[in-house]
Amino acid sequence: MRARVRAALRSARWYVGAVMAVPLLGGAIIMLGRHQTPSSGPAGATPWLILAAALPLAWLLFFLGFATGPAVRTGFNTAAVHAALPALLTGTLVWEFAAISLLAGGLPPGPPLIQALAVIGGPASVTAVVWWEISRLRTLFGVTLRA
């Protein structure tokens, strides 16, 4: 199973690395544009540096545009590790993100009942879909989960 986990982690690293590189390259282009001096003129090195940073940025944006659909659909190839792993990973991550959102931003505005439903409703509905998917995998395909 380790080889299949490595492939899933590799695809996730490529995607997350591309997502992180976009704002870094965008910030580099902005900083290079701000530090362009009048003495450098049109023949200076700064326009070439901006172009050298803009080309990888364009490639990354195309990469993310074309890779997002397959990455979301396949769950970064986690189904190759175990058929139920994408569902279990989704269920776990949605509760983690809900906790992080609650700690970072606090409760949403509104009456207390609406606040509680807004915080718990999304992760609970995703968890219900995850349970349904796992029961479907068990009944239709014979997938088992060990304790």
Side-chain angles (χ1 to χ4, degrees):
M1 228 190 245
R2 287 184 185 164
R4 292 181 280 180
V5 169
R6 277 190 218 113
L9 288 176
R10 187 180 322 118
S11 65
R13 276 194 305 257
W14 273 102
Y15 189 81
V16 171
V19 167
M20 292 177 66
V22 167
L24 292 176
L25 280 173
I29 291 170
I30 291 171
M31 295 299 286
L32 286 171
R34 286 186 184 165
H35 293 303
Q36 185 176 6
T37 60
S39 64
S40 63
T46 306
W48 293 107
L49 290 174
I50 291 173
L51 182 65
L55 289 175
L57 179 63
W59 183 88
L60 283 170
L61 290 173
F62 279 114
F63 173 80
L64 288 174
F66 287 108
T68 299
V72 169
R73 206 169 28 254
T74 62
F76 296 108
N77 300 323
T78 53
V81 179
H82 191 279
L85 188 57
L88 294 172
L89 186 63
T90 302
T92 304
L93 289 177
V94 74
W95 282 104
E96 287 180 12
F97 287 139
I100 291 170
S101 174
L102 186 62
L103 290 175
L107 290 171
L113 179 63
I114 301 299
Q115 289 177 337
L117 290 175
V119 170
I120 296 174
S125 64
V126 171
T127 302
V129 172
V130 165
W131 282 349
W132 171 76
E133 176 68 17
I134 290 175
S135 69
R136 185 179 151 274
L137 286 171
R138 283 181 178 167
T139 57
L140 294 179
F141 302 104
V143 173
T144 58
L145 297 175
R146 291 184 284 186

